[in-house]
Amino acid sequence: MRVTGLLLLVAHLLIVGWLTLRPRTVPWVSATNLEPLATIQAELATGPSWEAIQHLGGSVLLLAPLGVLLPLSAGRLNVSPLVSLTRTVFAGAMIALAIELLQSGVPGRVPDIDSVLLGSLGVALTHLTVVPGARRRLRRRYGDLGEVTPRIPRVGLAPQADALSGSRTYL
C-alpha cells in the first residue's frame, strides 16, 4: 500500500504541477494577492455564481487528493488522528505554498495566498472524511500489526540491537 500511495502521490503532484506551472498567454494578469481572504470575498461579493463556485471549488479540489495520498504513502495504521491531520494539512499547505512561489516566475500566473488557504482546506476536508474510517477498517482487517515486537521463533526473544556496542564506528 505504501508503494502504491507513493506512486499515486507522485503522479498527482506531476499533474498538479503541469496544471499550475505551465505558462499562459493572457493579455493582462491581476496583481499578486497577499491579503488572506481577499480573493474569496471578491468572488462572493457579486453573489454565488457558477464562475465563483468553479473558481473556489477548483482551488479546493486541486490538492484535495493529498489528504488521502500523504497518509497512504506514510503507511501508518496506528497514529493519533489529530497528529495525522496536523501533519497532513501542514504538508499540504507547504506544497500549496511551494506551488504559489513557483508560479511567481511563470508568465501569466499570479501567486494568490487564498489558493494556499483553499488548497489546505481541501486537504483537511478530504483527510477528515476518508482517512479515519479507512484506518479503522484496515486495523480491524489486519489487526494492530504495528504494536507487536518481532520475536525470534525458536527462542521467543526480541532481536537485540547493537546500536550502543563499541564494535562499530560510524564515521
Side-chain angles (χ1 to χ4, degrees):
M1 292 217 11
R2 181 182 248 173
V3 173
T4 303
L6 283 171
L7 290 175
L8 290 173
L9 179 65
V10 168
H12 178 70
L13 289 176
L14 287 174
I15 291 169
V16 167
W18 181 77
L19 288 173
T20 58
L21 298 176
R22 61 187 172 150
R24 291 190 303 182
T25 54
V26 293
W28 61 272
V29 292
S30 59
T32 300
N33 175 28
L34 298 178
E35 181 184 340
L37 305 177
T39 305
I40 297 170
Q41 288 175 349
E43 289 283 342
L44 297 176
T46 60
S49 66
W50 181 247
E51 291 177 9
I53 292 171
Q54 281 182 323
H55 178 66
L56 297 176
S59 295
V60 169
L61 293 176
L62 182 67
L63 295 178
L66 294 179
V68 174
L69 294 176
L70 288 171
L72 181 64
S73 64
R76 295 182 182 144
L77 284 179
N78 299 317
V79 66
S80 164
L82 182 62
V83 170
S84 176
L85 176 67
T86 304
R87 191 179 342 192
T88 302
V89 171
F90 179 75
M94 291 298 106
I95 290 170
L97 183 63
I99 289 170
E100 293 302 316
L101 289 175
L102 290 172
Q103 278 184 348
S104 65
V106 177
R109 299 286 181 166
V110 179
D112 187 0
I113 193 67
D114 290 338
S115 295
V116 175
L117 295 174
L118 291 170
S120 301
L121 176 68
V123 169
L125 290 175
T126 305
H127 186 277
L128 286 172
T129 57
V130 176
V131 173
R135 279 191 176 142
R136 190 171 25 258
R137 271 186 246 112
L138 287 171
R139 276 194 300 263
R140 245 187 280 135
R141 183 180 212 180
Y142 296 111
D144 292 332
L145 298 175
E147 296 178 359
V148 178
T149 303
R151 298 194 177 275
I152 301 170
R154 294 178 302 187
V155 182
L157 298 173
Q160 181 179 1
D162 60 343
L164 299 176
S165 69
S167 63
R168 293 185 185 193
T169 56
Y170 298 99
L171 296 178

